[in-house]
Amino acid sequence: MRKRPQASSISPDTSAEKSSDASKIDENAKLNQGIQIKTARRSGFTLLTLLGVIVYASWVVYQYQYGSLPLPLTAEQAGKRGFSEVEAMKHVRELTKLGPHTIGSDAIELALQYVLAATENIKKTAHWEVDVEVDFFHVNTGATRLGSGMFKDKTIIYSDLNHIVLRILPKYAPEAGENAILVSSHIDTVFSTEGAGDCSSCVAVMLELARGISQWAHGFKNAVIFLFNTGEEEGLSGAHSFITQHPWSSTIRMAIDLEAMGIGGKSSIFQAGPHPLAIETFASVAKYPSGNIIAQDLFSSGVIKSSTDFQVYREVAGLSGLDFAYTDYGAVYHTKNDKLELLKPGSLQHLGENMLAFLLQMAASSQLSKANATVDDIQSNHDTAVYYDILGQYMVTYRQRFANMLQSSVIIQSLMIWTASLLMGGYTAAVSLALSCLSIILMWIFSLSFSALAVFILPLISSSPLPYLSFPWLVVGLFAAPAFLGALTGQHLGHLVLQRYLSNVYAKRKQLSPVIQADMIKLETERWLFKAGSLQWLVLLIIGTYYKIGSSYLALVWLVPPAFAYGLLEATLTPGRLPKPLKLATLWMGLAIPILVSAGPFIRLTTSMIGLSVRFVRHPGGSPEWLPTVALSVFIAGVICLTLVYLLSYIHLSGAKTSFVLATCILFALSLAVVFSGVTPPFTEETARAVNVVHVVDTTGRFREKPSSYISLFSVTPGMLAKEVEEMKEGFVCSRHKAIDYVTFSVRYGCLTFDETEEGWDESDIPTLEVVKDTNGDKRVTRVAIDTKRSIRWFLSINTEEIEDFSFKVGSEELVPADGKHSVDGWHTIQASGGKNAPTKFELTLFWLQNSTLGSHKMLQSERPLLNLRTDLPGVVTPKAEAVLQKLPPWFSLFGKSTSPHTLSFLTSLPVKF
């Protein structure tokens, strides 16, 4: 009976507790009633449209920045002092009519005579107060060894070269001749093209510039020298011979080089400095400025395997200046399609007007004498310029010192903001940041994986590893679509992980209802993903600033505007403390400037990579066929991850995920269908595959008896050749046969035929390597007589596992002293070329290593000869080679470069045990 009173005594207490809890719930309910969480209402159509607008805006920026060219002017429209593309095109037509004009050919002599006549005419029509001097400059012999670029650690020998040099200065101010600006380009071409772009267009621009300058120069304080050189295509020989042997070279204070890595379009600056005077002057006066330090960073890093005369002027003469290049239609470089028909109207006008304005400003400046580069400038890189154009209308330039200060300031402020945010948010904020970074990592992993997966699907449906070459926009569906889908997938997985973590955190807070908590978790997750996008750009900015990379301006552009837009519209102007959906205005404001500044260069880099894939392979068969496509897909995936990360953060809370997945899958499937159907073939007559057809006379014992003769067909474009050679019916067998060593490269996959190859060559043309003297004293020394017979273009490799150093003589003149040489892969290469009267007999003195591998097991295994020699006979085509050339498919083109063999080559060697 006592329990009842006890129960009754407890009962009031329990009811009191319930009453208390109920009152708290009522209070929270009242609070929750006052809280409104605005959810994201973004339809799939809205966000797909937004993505479409971003893509279209990027395309418009690219077209305006690189596709808009000025109208060509006639002589009457330009006037005596202006630049006329119509007049310049007359020079291009005359030079291209000559066909390929290589060093030592009849065509190069005709080209020289044409340019000489044009310069003499400029001299006759110059202003009466202007002095024009024309010099036909002949070079007997010379040698160089550059420290960087594609000719690094090679010895280049040249002889019997001719150049035309034109100097313009005021007649009554002779002191102007003490300081000069050099404008340079080359007349010669490779053997495979008439060279409308590379570089008849450059020569034509220079001739028209010289005509215009000759009407202005009476007011100059400095001279202008135009160098029309030969030998550039054979190792930059023309520039080196002029800068080291011509008497006017000592007066040069600035060098401007005109080049082409494609044909036409805008001629952009891709190298400048080291002294910033030239680029700063150009930026201030050019009518249509075009140039970007991204290209300079890629070029100097060695990613682009090429060299121009500008390297000689900067490295040998210590000059500063500018290096221009045409880059449109990069796939036609050094092929038959570098022809007049593809030269866009307005291309020459664009370069000509820019150069005319620059030269008029620079030639009248008293600052020219200060423009020389110093060793400190080149090594420290502190006072170089960062430069990039905006829409081809305005060029931004500032010094590297200022870039370091600006970027360091942004880095410090960003780190301070992040630190303050983490301190205020505590442990939850730190974990949320870590998980949002995880979403970035997953985004990269999935994007790269999906894009790379597409690469390995292509061989299953296409006969070529480059099915997009003739229609570059296929890469949008083939690689950009899966890369975007992968980025969305990876970030969404990170989004789910972050959302689950925040759910656990909010579950411990009882103040809000579950519905409101769920909405807040989604919105906070969205914000963390947006902010993480800027974090990856911050990391890139830190790295770029530390290594003083000029292209770091991209990270600055993609970090500051989105961060500012977020702070302005999401943090400052949001009235409540609770999170709200990200505004579309934040995205528009944040991406407007980055797209304006970087969309053009990103698309330009993509098209350049596509063009470079035609000549991607250095050693045919020596690298995987899929390598250039993988590199392209990785680049596209990287651009998508870096630039669309802000947009991706908007998708997860909307109903757009399904729409995006379907859209990207459909685009990818359609692109695969186009490739599979063959509607767009990989190669066309205007976008041809680069091949070489070489009749080889081989005395190395590599095939059959000595000498053996065969036709070698190989390609520097990835892909097999079996289908095409089968249709040619010339007895070719394609395989990864024993590598053919062409001295400067080796062919590990190609096609050979030994049928009917005994005609068209003579044994008297086989070069010889004869040991004249071999002495064994304190150090073994061997003298070798080299006779290249009729060849004026040859390549010799010296085995540096046996030879420590060497000297090289032409007659009694020592061209290359024994001064210590470097090697590449155990070989030091000598590359020689010259005119018709170039010497063919030389003396090589070899100084052996003390610990030579002679007689060792290592040497017996490797079977490396002591010397390898290749000689080319330019212009000689044997009957069998002619038959093969006639049957080449129209989408094939011969490809030439400084190391490529011509259509008849001889191979010989000297064994270690001679």
Side-chain angles (χ1 to χ4, degrees):
M1 296 294 293
R2 287 189 177 182
K3 289 183 179 179
R4 292 184 65 181
Q6 186 176 0
S8 64
S9 67
I10 294 173
S11 181
D13 294 338
T14 303
S15 60
E17 274 185 33
K18 290 181 178 179
S19 176
S20 176
D21 291 339
S23 64
K24 288 181 179 178
I25 292 172
D26 292 339
E27 186 178 346
N28 288 336
K30 290 178 181 178
L31 288 171
N32 290 336
Q33 287 176 1
I35 296 175
Q36 293 183 351
I37 301 296
K38 186 179 179 182
T39 57
R41 297 183 182 275
R42 309 184 191 113
S43 67
F45 176 77
T46 300
L47 288 180
L48 277 173
T49 303
L50 181 61
L51 176 61
V53 170
I54 291 174
V55 173
Y56 179 72
S58 300
W59 168 246
V60 169
V61 168
Y62 169 72
Q63 283 290 356
Y64 193 85
Q65 186 167 2
Y66 293 103
S68 60
L69 293 167
L71 292 174
L73 298 181
T74 63
E76 293 75 18
Q77 292 170 323
K80 287 184 67 176
R81 294 185 168 191
F83 183 93
S84 167
E85 176 176 306
V86 174
E87 294 301 305
M89 284 297 294
K90 294 177 181 178
H91 300 308
V92 180
R93 288 191 187 92
E94 292 302 317
L95 290 171
T96 53
K97 280 180 185 177
L98 302 174
H101 28 287
T102 59
I103 296 300
S105 66
D106 293 333
I108 193 66
E109 299 299 327
L110 294 174
L112 281 164
Q113 290 305 315
Y114 176 83
V115 175
L116 181 61
T119 55
E120 291 289 356
N121 188 55
I122 292 170
K123 182 176 181 179
K124 292 177 183 177
T125 59
H127 190 279
W128 67 276
E129 291 183 290
V130 174
D131 195 4
V132 177
E133 302 171 74
V134 178
D135 182 24
F136 190 86
F137 180 54
H138 177 74
V139 178
N140 289 320
T141 56
T144 181
R145 192 164 59 248
L146 299 173
S148 61
M150 65 181 297
F151 300 109
K152 181 180 180 181
D153 298 328
K154 291 183 179 180
T155 298
I156 309 295
I157 294 175
Y158 51 84
S159 52
D160 190 32
L161 297 181
N162 293 308
H163 316 309
I164 296 169
V165 192
L166 178 72
R167 183 165 73 165
I168 302 175
L169 68 166
K171 185 175 292 185
Y172 302 110
E175 66 278 4
E178 297 175 4
N179 297 301
I181 307 162
L182 174 68
V183 183
S184 169
S185 192
H186 61 95
I187 303 175
D188 61 309
T189 71
V190 294
F191 74 94
S192 55
T193 178
E194 64 189 32
D198 187 19
C199 212
S200 296
S201 59
C202 311
V203 171
V205 168
M206 286 173 57
L207 287 171
E208 179 63 8
L209 274 175
R211 183 203 60 76
I213 291 293
S214 69
Q215 305 299 321
W216 285 93
H218 53 283
F220 286 177
K221 296 179 181 178
N222 309 291
V224 180
I225 296 175
F226 292 90
L227 169 63
F228 305 87
N229 72 66
T230 62
E232 191 273 349
E233 297 291 7
E234 299 294 345
L236 315 181
S237 305
H240 186 270
S241 60
F242 170 79
I243 211 70
T244 56
Q245 299 186 37
H246 197 281
W248 292 346
S249 64
S250 60
T251 67
I252 296 172
R253 304 291 176 257
M254 180 182 291
I256 312 299
D257 182 49
L258 307 184
E259 258 297 349
M261 297 179 188
I263 179 169
K266 288 192 174 182
S267 184
S268 301
I269 297 171
F270 69 101
Q271 291 189 100
H275 196 284
L277 176 62
I279 187 65
E280 289 174 348
T281 303
F282 179 83
S284 65
V285 300
K287 192 173 181 179
Y288 317 103
S290 181
N292 200 301
I293 198 170
I294 298 174
Q296 178 171 312
D297 287 342
L298 290 173
F299 206 85
S300 59
S301 68
V303 172
I304 300 175
K305 300 291 183 182
S306 186
S307 293
T308 70
D309 285 340
F310 188 70
Q311 180 186 350
V312 173
Y313 302 136
R314 185 175 58 186
E315 188 175 315
V316 177
L319 296 170
S320 285
L322 303 173
D323 202 1
F324 291 82
Y326 291 112
T327 55
D328 275 17
Y329 299 116
V332 311
Y333 176 72
H334 282 191
T335 68
K336 66 181 181 181
N337 290 317
D338 184 3
K339 54 189 179 182
L340 190 64
E341 292 79 4
L342 291 182
L343 192 55
K344 292 181 181 178
S347 301
L348 305 191
Q349 193 70 40
H350 173 265
L351 176 58
E353 289 195 45
N354 281 343
M355 279 296 300
L356 183 60
F358 171 77
L359 290 175
L360 293 178
Q361 179 73 18
M362 208 68 251
S365 172
S366 58
Q367 301 295 313
L368 182 62
S369 59
K370 303 176 183 178
N372 273 19
T374 65
V375 175
D376 290 338
D377 285 331
I378 297 172
Q379 293 179 346
S380 67
N381 205 33
H382 282 315
D383 209 31
T384 56
V386 176
Y387 60 93
Y388 52 92
D389 72 277
I390 299 176
L391 298 179
Q393 300 298 312
Y394 180 77
M395 179 166 280
V396 178
T397 60
Y398 49 87
R399 304 288 179 97
Q400 185 64 52
R401 291 174 187 261
F402 175 77
N404 294 340
M405 292 171 56
L406 176 63
Q407 292 167 191
S408 297
S409 174
V410 171
I411 290 169
I412 292 171
Q413 293 180 58
S414 299
L415 292 176
M416 289 175 64
I417 293 171
W418 275 107
T419 302
S421 177
L422 292 177
L423 289 175
M424 292 175 64
Y427 177 78
T428 301
V431 176
S432 298
L433 175 61
L435 293 178
S436 61
C437 290
L438 174 65
S439 74
I440 295 295
I441 295 171
L442 291 173
M443 176 186 70
W444 277 89
I445 292 173
F446 277 79
S447 182
L448 292 171
S449 300
F450 280 30
S451 187
L453 180 63
V455 173
F456 294 100
I457 292 176
L458 291 179
L460 304 177
I461 61 173
S462 174
S463 59
S464 170
L466 308 173
Y468 47 83
L469 196 62
S470 64
F471 189 70
W473 284 106
L474 270 176
V475 301
V476 175
L478 293 175
F479 307 129
F484 182 86
L485 181 60
L488 178 61
T489 303
Q491 195 187 64
H492 189 65
L493 290 177
H495 167 268
L496 294 177
V497 173
L498 177 57
Q499 188 170 300
R500 173 163 296 198
Y501 168 75
L502 291 176
S503 297
N504 293 333
V505 171
Y506 275 88
K508 299 174 184 178
R509 302 176 184 176
K510 304 296 184 180
Q511 295 86 357
L512 300 175
S513 68
V515 175
I516 294 176
Q517 282 186 8
D519 289 337
M520 290 182 65
I521 290 166
K522 292 177 182 179
L523 297 178
E524 193 167 343
T525 303
E526 181 181 64
R527 287 169 174 262
W528 274 111
L529 293 181
F530 186 92
K531 291 187 288 186
S534 65
L535 196 61
Q536 62 178 347
W537 284 109
L538 177 60
V539 172
L540 291 177
L541 184 62
I542 292 171
I543 295 171
T545 303
Y546 180 80
Y547 288 104
K548 298 181 176 62
I549 300 172
S551 304
S552 303
Y553 83 88
L554 285 174
L556 192 70
V557 166
W558 279 93
L559 170 63
V560 175
F564 175 79
Y566 181 87
L568 180 66
L569 298 180
E570 304 297 342
T572 306
L573 299 182
T574 301
R577 295 181 179 179
L578 296 175
K580 290 188 176 183
L582 291 173
K583 300 178 179 68
L584 289 179
T586 303
L587 195 64
W588 285 118
M589 181 182 289
L591 296 187
I593 293 177
I595 289 174
L596 187 70
V597 173
S598 65
F602 279 144
I603 297 176
R604 188 66 159 189
L605 285 172
T606 304
T607 58
S608 296
M609 288 184 70
I610 294 172
L612 285 170
S613 61
V614 173
R615 53 189 185 277
F616 182 84
V617 182
R618 182 186 175 192
H619 302 280
S623 58
E625 294 180 356
W626 43 259
L627 191 57
T629 306
V630 166
L632 178 63
S633 68
V634 166
F635 175 76
I636 291 173
V639 171
I640 285 176
C641 289
L642 288 169
T643 59
L644 295 183
V645 62
Y646 299 111
L647 172 66
L648 289 172
S649 64
Y650 279 70
I651 298 175
H652 307 291
L653 299 188
S654 66
K657 292 188 290 294
T658 303
S659 302
F660 274 94
V661 171
L662 285 175
T664 51
C665 288
I666 291 172
L667 181 58
F668 179 56
L670 287 175
S671 300
L672 291 178
V674 169
V675 172
F676 180 73
S677 66
V679 173
T680 58
F683 306 102
T684 63
E685 191 166 354
E686 289 192 348
T687 307
R689 182 175 184 178
V691 300
N692 286 91
V693 175
V694 189
H695 191 142
V696 180
V697 179
D698 193 338
T699 66
T700 63
R702 190 176 286 107
F703 299 99
R704 298 180 182 178
E705 69 282 352
K706 292 187 177 183
S708 59
S709 176
Y710 50 87
I711 300 290
S712 172
L713 171 64
F714 59 88
S715 176
V716 294
T717 307
M720 298 291 106
L721 294 165
K723 182 179 178 181
E724 288 82 1
V725 300
E726 184 179 348
E727 295 175 355
M728 292 166 62
K729 302 185 185 305
E730 287 293 333
F732 280 105
V733 176
C734 301
S735 66
R736 296 186 181 276
H737 47 66
K738 187 175 181 180
I740 300 178
D741 186 356
Y742 282 97
V743 180
T744 52
F745 67 98
S746 60
V747 174
R748 295 161 194 173
Y749 170 80
C751 306
L752 295 181
T753 179
F754 292 86
D755 300 344
E756 303 173 5
T757 59
E758 299 304 319
E759 297 181 359
W761 60 275
D762 196 281
E763 288 195 14
S764 62
D765 291 326
I766 297 175
T768 59
L769 297 169
E770 181 183 353
V771 177
V772 177
K773 189 175 182 180
D774 186 33
T775 59
N776 269 306
D778 295 336
K779 197 169 189 177
R780 185 179 178 185
V781 180
T782 301
R783 284 171 50 204
V784 180
I786 302 173
D787 189 350
T788 63
K789 302 301 173 70
R790 285 198 297 154
S791 174
I792 54 176
R793 185 180 191 263
W794 53 269
F795 305 82
L796 177 72
S797 60
I798 301 171
N799 186 347
T800 55
E801 290 184 0
E802 309 292 341
I803 303 302
E804 181 179 20
D805 206 348
F806 67 88
S807 63
F808 192 88
K809 286 185 178 181
V810 179
S812 59
E813 180 185 2
E814 186 178 59
L815 275 183
V816 183
D819 55 358
K821 315 289 191 305
H822 296 284
S823 63
V824 178
D825 298 328
W827 298 95
H828 184 91
T829 302
I830 301 176
Q831 177 174 334
S833 62
K836 291 181 179 180
N837 298 318
T840 58
K841 294 184 179 181
F842 313 92
E843 182 181 292
L844 176 68
T845 303
L846 304 172
F847 303 94
W848 293 68
L849 286 165
Q850 295 289 352
N851 56 344
S852 166
T853 61
L854 181 61
S856 69
H857 178 66
K858 177 181 177 183
M859 188 276 292
L860 294 174
Q861 281 186 328
S862 65
E863 298 181 354
R864 287 165 60 99
L866 185 65
L867 302 174
N868 272 327
L869 175 63
R870 183 187 102 214
T871 60
D872 296 343
L873 287 184
V876 178
V877 183
T878 63
K880 181 64 175 181
E882 180 66 31
V884 173
L885 290 172
Q886 291 293 330
K887 292 185 178 181
L888 284 179
W891 60 88
F892 275 22
S893 170
L894 291 182
F895 176 75
K897 60 179 183 178
S898 64
T899 57
S900 298
H902 285 217
T903 48
L904 177 58
S905 293
F906 296 84
L907 301 178
T908 191
S909 62
L910 181 68
V912 174
K913 290 186 174 182
F914 47 78

